[in-house]
């Protein structure tokens, strides 16, 4: 592409420059010829006027003009000697006098027929050497006589050729300089394109953090800027795909691990019942454990189903009363809290309304309260409140339980992650509750944040846009 542009631009410039040189050369030649023509006309007029006076003087003295023409012309020959010009006198269509530089036979110049008019003829002859001819007849009664003045054009033509050659040489130098600067300019112009090409090759090879330096405000800089935006989007998409793939693989690993523990226990107890001689009480305990593990698997299956359904669901455009939400939550969770003698205190100063689905929000609040119950000690208090904050309605769940480290907070939304694995399994949890909560929060375009400190407790804040 660059090479094509270089050669096309160079050829166009050469054609344009040479055309201009030819035009200028022709103008210079015309000016030079016009100057020579004016000079020859002036010289012809001076010599013709003076010669006519001499011829009249000879006639008055009674001397023949034709026989004495040579004597008359010697003075004029000395006048033109060294100038390279010549002249001749014609009588009745024949030359009766020729100067030494005239050389009529060599140039084949014949007396023109003017029809006995006083108009002068100016024309060029191109024999061995170019000449400019000015011929004019004398007035009556000397109309049979005519004077031919020949101006030498060799010096003029040679000077013009030298000027023309100098112009073409200057043009050649200008073309060489033009080709050099054009090549450098195209290198400068195409540098971003080369960078785009090399950067795109790097991105194609997997180096997604490659970028193009953007300089200036022209169209190519705009292309480079847009290319960087595209590369950034590709990098973000690749990173998201890698993160998603990693999360999926982690989910599969965690899910396999969660399945392996109860299945191993169920298989072990079933094998133990089959091969060992057990009393009725021992068989009962074994079957109870098997049923407990089956119940945990069933709970995990229900939670996974909830996650699958939530993944395809969008928020329904309806309003939900926070007071009604708290009232329904209290009906469900007070039994769960009373088992550990924990007090649930719901606080709402006014009836806030948020956009969302009541059933999904109830699952969200109850999951958070259930986690708070698991983390709390007996006779603790869990505070659930709602209040307005700037342009959002905030629902807050606060406990005084075990709390979490900062590193643990960054992972608690991952599926199957547990802060205290032993306590969670003992309580029958699968580590899916907060993953479900996170999806519900996303559906409602809300935000969920955690503030926690080990041994102090945890505050979960849900911010719903008004």
């Amino acid at each position: 592409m660059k090479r094509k542009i270089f050669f096309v631009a160079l050829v166009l410039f050469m054609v344009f420059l040479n055309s201009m040189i030819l035009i200028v050369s022709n103008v210079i030649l015309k000016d030079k010829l016009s100057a020579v023509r004016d000079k020859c006309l002036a010289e012809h007029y001076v010599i013709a006027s003076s010669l006519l006076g001499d011829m009249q003087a000879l006639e008055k003295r009674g001397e023949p003009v034709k026989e004495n023409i040579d004597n008359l012309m010697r003075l004029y020959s000395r006048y033109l000697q060294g100038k390279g010009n010549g002249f001749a006198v014609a009588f009745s269509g024949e030359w009766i006098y020729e100067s030494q530089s005239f050389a009529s036979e060599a140039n084949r110049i014949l007396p023109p027929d003017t029809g006995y008019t006083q108009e002068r003829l100016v024309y060029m002859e191109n024999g061995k050497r170019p000449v400019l001819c000015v011929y004019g007849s004398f007035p009556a009664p000397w109309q049979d006589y005519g004077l031919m003045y020949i101006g030498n054009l060799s010096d003029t033509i040679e000077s013009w050729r030298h000027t023309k050659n100098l112009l073409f040489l200057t043009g050649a130098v200008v073309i060489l300089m033009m080709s050099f600067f054009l090549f450098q300019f195209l290198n400068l112009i195409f540098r971003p394109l080369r960078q785009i090409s090399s950067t795109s090759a790097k991105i194609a090879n997997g180096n997604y953090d490659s970028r193009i330096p953007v300089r200036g405000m022209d169209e190519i800089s705009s292309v480079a800027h847009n290319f960087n935006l595209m590369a950034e989007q590709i990098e973000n998409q690749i990173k998201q795909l890698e993160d998603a793939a990693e999360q999926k693989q982690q989910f599969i690993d965690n899910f396999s691990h969660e399945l392996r523990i109860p299945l191993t226990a169920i298989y072990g107890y079933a094998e133990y019942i089959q091969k060992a001689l057990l009393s009725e009480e021992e068989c009962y305990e074994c079957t109870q454990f098997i049923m407990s593990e089956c119940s945990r698997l069933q709970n995990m299956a229900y939670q996974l189903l909830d996650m699958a359904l939530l993944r395809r669901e969008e928020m329904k455009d309806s309003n939900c009363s926070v007071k009604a939400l708290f009232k329904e939550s209290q009906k469900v969770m007070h039994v769960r809290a009373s088992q550990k003698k924990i007090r649930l205190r719901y606080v709402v100063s006014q009836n806030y309304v948020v956009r969302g689905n009541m059933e999904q929000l109830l699952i969200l609040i109850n999951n958070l309260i259930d986690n708070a119950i698991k983390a709390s000690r007996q006779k603790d208090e869990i505070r659930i409140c709602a209040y307005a904050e700037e342009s959002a309605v905030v629902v807050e769940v606060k406990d005084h339980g075990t709390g979490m480290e900062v590193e643990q907070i960054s992972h608690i939304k991952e599926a199957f992650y547990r802060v205290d694995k032993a306590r969670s399994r003992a309580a029958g949890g699968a580590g899916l509750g907060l993953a479900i909560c996170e999806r519900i929060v996303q559906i409602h375009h809300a935000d969920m944040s955690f503030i926690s400190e080990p041994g102090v407790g945890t505050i979960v804040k849900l911010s719903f846009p008004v």
Side-chain angles (χ1 to χ4, degrees):
M1 181 67 179
K2 182 182 74 174
R3 187 174 299 175
K4 290 181 179 178
I5 293 176
F6 174 77
F7 283 113
V8 169
L10 188 61
V11 168
L12 290 176
F13 180 76
M14 290 175 61
V15 171
F16 173 77
L17 183 62
N18 290 326
S19 299
M20 294 302 298
I21 290 175
L22 287 175
I23 293 173
V24 171
S25 300
N26 289 332
V27 171
I28 292 174
L29 179 60
K30 287 181 179 180
D31 289 342
K32 287 181 176 292
L33 292 177
S34 177
V36 173
R37 177 180 179 277
D38 293 341
K39 182 179 178 181
C40 290
L41 286 171
E43 294 282 354
H44 181 274
Y45 177 78
V46 171
I47 294 174
S49 299
S50 179
L51 181 59
L52 181 61
D54 293 340
M55 291 168 63
Q56 290 174 347
L58 285 174
E59 185 182 26
K60 287 180 180 180
R61 290 197 299 267
E63 298 178 7
V65 176
K66 184 176 180 181
E67 286 75 8
N68 293 303
I69 197 68
D70 288 343
N71 295 327
L72 292 176
M73 300 306 296
R74 287 175 187 168
L75 177 64
Y76 304 109
S77 297
R78 288 195 299 269
Y79 170 74
L80 294 177
Q81 188 176 3
K83 294 184 178 181
N85 300 334
F87 56 85
V89 179
F91 179 78
S92 298
E94 293 182 357
W95 299 118
I96 59 175
Y97 176 81
E98 300 174 8
S99 64
Q100 293 180 355
S101 58
F102 184 66
S104 60
E105 292 184 0
N107 284 312
R108 298 179 183 177
I109 299 176
L110 299 176
D113 184 10
T114 61
Y116 300 104
T117 65
Q118 295 186 19
E119 293 183 1
R120 292 185 292 180
L121 298 179
V122 181
Y123 59 97
M124 287 183 61
E125 288 284 347
N126 292 310
K128 290 184 178 181
R129 59 189 181 93
V131 293
L132 184 69
C133 302
V134 178
Y135 182 83
S137 299
F138 290 97
W142 309 97
Q143 64 269 18
D144 292 334
Y145 291 89
L147 176 66
M148 170 76 79
Y149 183 91
I150 299 175
N152 183 18
L153 295 179
S154 298
D155 294 340
T156 303
I157 298 298
E158 187 64 27
S159 173
W160 171 76
R161 286 175 179 171
H162 181 267
T163 303
K164 182 186 69 172
N165 293 336
L166 184 62
L167 288 175
F168 276 108
L169 180 61
T170 305
V173 174
V174 171
I175 288 173
L176 288 176
M177 295 177 62
M178 171 66 182
S179 62
F180 174 76
F181 287 112
L182 178 63
F183 186 78
Q184 297 298 326
F185 179 71
L186 290 178
N187 279 337
L188 184 65
I189 290 294
F190 280 87
R191 183 184 300 169
L193 297 181
R194 291 197 302 270
Q195 292 174 341
I196 291 173
S197 178
S198 61
T199 305
S200 61
K202 292 179 182 178
I203 292 176
N205 291 328
N207 189 7
Y208 299 108
D209 59 346
S210 299
R211 296 293 184 271
I212 303 172
V214 179
R215 300 182 182 89
M217 298 294 291
D218 55 5
E219 290 78 3
I220 296 181
S221 300
S222 177
V223 171
H225 176 70
N226 293 331
F227 183 89
N228 287 340
L229 292 179
M230 180 189 70
E232 185 176 353
Q233 292 294 328
I234 292 174
E235 184 181 11
N236 292 336
Q237 291 293 331
I238 294 296
K239 190 175 183 302
Q240 291 176 5
L241 291 174
E242 290 175 349
D243 292 342
E246 184 179 354
Q247 290 176 1
K248 288 179 181 179
Q249 186 61 44
Q250 186 178 4
F251 178 84
I252 292 172
D253 294 342
N254 293 335
F255 183 61
S256 301
H257 178 72
E258 294 296 326
L259 284 178
R260 182 176 57 83
I261 295 175
L263 289 176
T264 302
I266 291 171
Y267 181 82
Y269 275 97
E271 186 179 24
Y272 180 64
I273 293 173
Q274 186 182 39
K275 295 181 179 180
L277 295 175
L278 303 176
S279 63
E280 184 177 347
E281 183 179 355
E282 290 174 334
C283 286
Y284 178 77
E285 290 178 356
C286 289
T287 54
Q288 279 291 104
F289 188 85
I290 290 173
M291 291 177 63
S292 174
E293 292 299 311
C294 288
S295 177
R296 194 153 72 89
L297 288 174
Q298 186 182 39
N299 183 41
M300 186 189 305
Y302 287 152
Q303 288 184 324
L304 289 173
L305 180 61
D306 288 340
M307 288 184 65
L309 293 174
L310 288 170
R311 189 173 292 112
R312 295 189 296 269
E313 191 168 345
E314 295 295 334
M315 182 181 66
K316 297 177 181 177
D317 192 9
S318 60
N319 293 329
C320 177
S321 169
V322 176
K323 278 189 176 181
L325 179 65
F326 282 5
K327 185 176 180 181
E328 292 297 322
S329 174
Q330 188 174 17
K331 290 179 183 179
V332 177
M333 298 307 297
H334 83 280
V335 177
R336 175 82 174 86
S338 62
Q339 293 175 356
K340 291 184 67 174
K341 298 179 181 179
I342 293 174
R343 181 189 174 196
L344 301 179
R345 187 157 68 96
Y346 292 85
V347 179
V348 55
S349 59
Q350 64 184 68
N351 189 18
Y352 296 105
V353 176
V354 297
R355 291 178 65 250
N357 181 271
M358 171 68 81
E359 294 179 359
Q360 293 177 0
L361 293 178
L362 189 59
I363 294 172
L364 172 61
I365 296 295
N366 289 344
N367 268 328
L368 295 178
I369 295 174
D370 186 64
N371 287 339
I373 292 172
K374 292 175 183 177
S376 299
R377 295 174 292 271
Q378 288 192 357
K379 297 183 180 180
D380 277 351
E381 180 183 88
I382 297 175
R383 185 172 181 269
I384 305 98
C385 63
Y387 56 90
E389 186 178 81
E390 295 181 355
S391 60
V393 174
V394 178
V395 176
E396 186 177 282
V397 178
K398 180 179 181 181
D399 66 64
H400 302 281
T402 55
M404 295 177 289
E405 300 285 351
V406 176
E407 178 65 23
Q408 293 172 333
I409 294 176
S410 62
H411 295 287
I412 56 177
K413 296 178 184 180
E414 299 174 4
F416 298 110
Y417 179 82
R418 297 186 183 89
V419 176
D420 186 347
K421 294 179 173 57
R423 177 178 58 80
S424 297
R425 286 199 179 94
L432 295 171
L434 284 178
I436 295 174
C437 291
E438 176 66 14
R439 179 55 188 159
I440 294 174
V441 167
Q442 292 174 356
I443 291 174
H444 287 76
H445 306 292
D447 181 66
M448 180 169 61
S449 59
F450 295 83
I451 303 172
S452 185
E453 187 177 345
V456 178
T458 302
I459 300 174
V460 185
K461 293 178 67 175
L462 300 172
S463 298
F464 296 91
V466 175

